C-alpha cells in the first residue's frame, strides 16, 4: 500500500503526534508499504516528507503548536492526483485549512478508492480548549463524514471524540518499538541513593512543580536517601530552580535540561522511580511506555484519565499530583518498599508489551482494511 500520514503540525517537532506517526510509519515500511508524511513546513530528509503549507505558532491545550496557514485546494488536488494514495491517515483534531482540505480533495480526485482514516489524540486541559475543540467539531462535521474509520488512543479519548466531534472510534493505543528501548545502558548513578527521574516539558500541566512540592514535605531521613533528576526544558525552568532552592533541595534535585532522544532510554533505565505527575490534558502517555520499555524500576504517574489508561488500576502507581500530602505518601511507600517496587516492575515489564508497535501496527492495518 501507499500510505500518507497527514498532520497539520511539522514532522520536525519531537512531540507526541509526531512520535505516533513516525513509529507507525517505520513499522509500515518494514512491512513493505510505501510511507509518506504530508504536513506543514518541515526540513527533515530521512523520511519521505511533503511540506505543503506554511506554519504559524500558537498555544493550545497547554502545548506549543505550529499550525498551517490556508493551503491552495488546486495545488492539493494536483498533488493528490499525482500521488494516488491507497490510505490517508489523518491526525485529529485537524485544521480546516490544511488536513481537512487534503481529505476533501482526496475524495474529489479518487472517490472511495482511497481509504481515509483518522486517529483522535486529544483530551482538553481546561474549559477553553474543551469549548474550542467542540466548536471545531461542529465546523468539521461535513468533513468527518468523508472518513471511512476512526480510532482514538485511549478510552477517555474515545469518549471525548464522541462528545465533541460526534466520532465513534475504536481504541488503538499509541505505540513504541520496545526493542529500541530494551537493554538500555543506565546513566551514571550517585552512589546507592534511590533515583527518581522526571522527563518532560517544563510546563504547568506536566507536574514538575508538584513533584518538587511533594519532595519538600518528605522527612529528612527519606529525602536524604534520594537523587532526583529532572530532565527537560520549558518556561517553568526559573520557577522550578527557585522552588528547589526555597525547599533546600539543592543537594537532592538536579535540573538536567534537555535530554536527547538518543540519551532518553538510558536516562529512564537509571531510575528506581520514573515519575510523571501530569495533572491533566493527557489523552495517553507515551513517556510512560518509553520508561517501562527502557527498564525503569517503577513508572508512576498522575491519576489523569489518559495516564491511567496506560498505568492500569493499581493504586500504588498513580496519584492526584495536586494533593501534596498524598503524593508524598505514595513516594515514601515506593522509596521504602523494595519488594513492592520489584513486584510492580515485573507487572509493568509485561504490561508494556501490549503497546509494542508489532501489536498496535497490526490493529492499524486492520483499520486500513489491509
Amino acid at each position: 500500500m501507499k500510505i500518507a500520514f497527514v498532520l497539520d503540525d511539522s514532522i520536525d517537532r519531537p512531540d507526541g503526534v509526531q512520535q505516533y506517526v513516525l513509529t507507525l510509519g517505520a513499522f509500515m515500511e518494514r512491512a513493505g508499504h510505501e510511507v509518506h508524511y504530508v504536513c506543514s513546513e518541515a526540513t527533515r530528509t530521512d523520511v519521505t516528507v511533503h511540506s505543503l503549507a506554511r506554519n504559524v505558532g500558537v498555544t493550545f491545550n497547554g502545548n506549543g503548536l505550529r499550525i498551517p496557514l490556508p493551503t491552495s485546494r488546486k495545488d492539493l488536488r494536483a498533488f493528490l492526483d499525482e500521488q494516488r494514495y491507497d490510505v490517508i491517515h489523518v491526525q485529529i483534531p485537524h485544521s480546516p485549512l490544511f488536513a481537512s482540505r487534503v481529505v476533501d480533495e482526496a475524495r474529489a480526485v479518487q472517490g472511495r478508492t482511497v481509504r481515509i482514516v483518522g486517529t483522535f489524540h486529544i483530551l482538553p486541559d481546561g474549559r477553553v480548549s474543551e469549548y474550542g475543540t467542540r466548536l471545531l467539531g461542529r465546523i468539521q462535521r461535513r468533513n468527518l463524514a468523508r472518513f471511512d474509520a476512526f480510532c482514538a488512543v485511549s478510552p477517555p479519548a474515545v469518549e471525548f471524540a464522541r462528545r465533541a466531534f460526534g466520532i465513534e472510534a475504536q481504541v488503538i493505543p499509541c505505540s513504541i518499538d520496545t526493542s529500541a528501548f530494551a537493554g538500555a545502558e543506565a546513566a551514571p548513578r550517585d552512589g546507592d541513593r534511590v533515583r527518581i527521574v522526571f522527563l518532560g516539558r517544563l510546563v504547568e500541566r506536566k507536574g514538575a512543580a508538584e513533584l518538587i512540592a511533594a519532595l519538600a514535605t518528605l522527612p529528612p531521613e527519606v529525602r536524604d536517601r534520594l537523587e532526583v533528576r529532572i530532565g527537560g526544558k520549558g518556561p517553568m525552568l526559573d520557577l522550578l530552580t527557585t522552588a528547589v532552592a526555597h525547599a533546600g533541595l539543592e543537594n537532592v534535585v538536579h535540573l538536567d535540561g534537555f535530554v536527547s532522544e538518543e540519551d532518553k532510554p538510558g536516562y529512564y533505565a537509571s531510575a528506581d522511580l520514573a515519575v510523571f505527575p501530569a495533572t491533566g490534558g493527557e489523552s495517553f502517555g507515551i513517556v510512560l511506555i518509553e520508561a517501562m520499555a527502557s527498564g525503569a524500576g517503577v513508572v508512576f504517574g498522575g491519576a489523569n484519565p489518559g495516564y491511567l489508561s496506560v498505568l492500569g488500576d493499581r493504586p500504588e502507581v498513580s496519584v492526584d499530583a495536586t494533593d501534596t500530602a498524598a503524593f508524598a505518601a505514595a513516594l515514601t511507600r515506593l522509596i521504602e518498599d523494595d519488594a513492592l517496587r520489584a513486584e510492580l516492575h515485573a507487572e509493568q515489564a509485561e504490561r508494556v508489551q501490549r503497546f509494542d508497535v508489532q501489536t498496535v501496527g497490526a490493529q492499524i492495518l486492520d483499520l486500513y482494511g489491509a
Side-chain angles (χ1 to χ4, degrees):
M1 290 187 296
K2 188 175 183 179
I3 302 165
F5 288 97
V6 179
L7 62 161
D8 292 303
D9 203 350
S10 172
I11 195 66
D12 293 345
R13 292 168 58 85
D15 293 334
V17 172
Q18 287 82 353
Q19 291 180 49
Y20 174 87
V21 298
L22 288 166
T23 300
L24 284 177
F27 167 83
M28 296 298 171
E29 288 186 329
R30 290 194 298 271
H33 304 293
E34 181 180 349
V35 175
H36 295 197
Y37 301 89
V38 178
C39 64
S40 52
E41 289 175 313
T43 59
R44 66 186 298 165
T45 59
D46 57 318
V47 291
T48 302
V49 179
H50 302 281
S51 300
L52 302 180
R54 292 170 51 223
N55 288 335
V56 63
V58 300
T59 298
F60 182 74
N61 205 45
N63 294 322
L65 301 175
R66 303 285 295 173
I67 64 169
L69 295 172
T71 308
S72 163
R73 290 184 179 275
K74 179 181 177 181
D75 291 346
L76 284 176
R77 183 173 294 201
F79 167 78
L80 292 163
D81 191 32
E82 177 185 1
Q83 296 296 331
R84 293 277 164 169
Y85 292 112
D86 299 300
V87 175
I88 291 176
H89 187 161
V90 180
Q91 314 315 302
I92 305 173
H94 60 307
S95 169
L97 303 178
F98 180 59
S100 180
R101 293 185 178 188
V102 171
V103 172
D104 290 343
E105 298 310 316
R107 281 284 177 248
V109 169
Q110 291 183 250
R112 289 286 167 177
T113 64
V114 58
R115 186 165 175 85
I116 300 176
V117 304
T119 296
F120 197 87
H121 290 273
I122 197 172
L123 275 184
D125 71 341
R127 290 185 177 181
V128 172
S129 55
E130 169 97 18
Y131 294 147
T133 309
R134 287 189 179 214
L135 177 60
L136 181 62
R138 286 195 288 270
I139 293 171
Q140 295 280 58
R141 292 287 174 132
R142 181 176 295 179
N143 183 260
L144 291 167
R146 295 189 169 99
F147 283 68
D148 294 295
F150 299 96
C151 64
V153 297
S154 65
V158 166
E159 174 54 35
F160 186 67
R162 180 183 299 118
R163 186 169 75 245
F165 277 60
I167 290 173
E168 292 297 330
Q170 67 182 95
V171 177
I172 302 179
C174 294
S175 65
I176 60 170
D177 181 355
T178 58
S179 67
F181 292 86
E185 183 176 346
R189 301 272 304 248
D190 183 6
D192 61 354
R193 291 187 174 196
V194 174
R195 175 177 274 200
I196 295 176
V197 163
F198 168 97
L199 181 57
R201 291 190 305 276
L202 302 183
V203 295
E204 185 175 351
R205 70 183 177 89
K206 294 297 183 180
E210 284 75 11
L211 173 59
I212 292 170
L215 294 169
T217 69
L218 296 177
E221 63 271 17
V222 176
R223 196 167 60 222
D224 291 346
R225 295 180 54 198
L226 301 179
E227 177 197 4
V228 181
R229 315 298 307 199
I230 294 180
K233 61 181 182 178
M236 291 186 68
L237 177 59
D238 290 344
L239 184 151
L240 297 175
T241 302
T242 300
V244 168
H246 181 74
L249 292 169
E250 297 98 323
N251 294 327
V252 176
V253 178
H254 308 272
L255 297 167
D256 293 331
F258 175 74
V259 176
S260 70
E261 289 297 310
E262 294 77 15
D263 292 337
K264 190 177 357 179
Y267 200 72
Y268 289 141
S270 71
D272 296 297
L273 296 174
V275 177
F276 306 98
T279 57
E282 304 289 348
S283 60
F284 188 71
I286 287 180
V287 291
L288 306 177
I289 58 176
E290 288 180 341
M292 290 179 192
S294 298
V298 173
V299 178
F300 179 89
N304 62 77
Y307 276 14
L308 290 176
S309 73
V310 176
L311 292 168
D313 298 330
R314 286 202 62 158
E316 299 94 338
V317 295
S318 64
V319 74
D320 175 359
T322 64
D323 186 337
T324 303
F327 195 175
L331 289 176
T332 299
R333 182 178 182 191
L334 289 169
I335 291 163
E336 295 185 334
D337 194 335
D338 294 349
L340 176 61
R341 291 206 309 272
E343 176 187 337
L344 294 171
H345 174 79
E347 290 183 5
Q348 291 183 339
E350 180 178 350
R351 184 176 185 83
V352 73
Q353 296 306 314
R354 70 183 65 182
F355 304 110
D356 183 70
V357 71
Q358 295 292 331
T359 300
V360 174
Q363 297 174 58
I364 293 292
L365 284 171
D366 287 343
L367 191 75
Y368 291 173

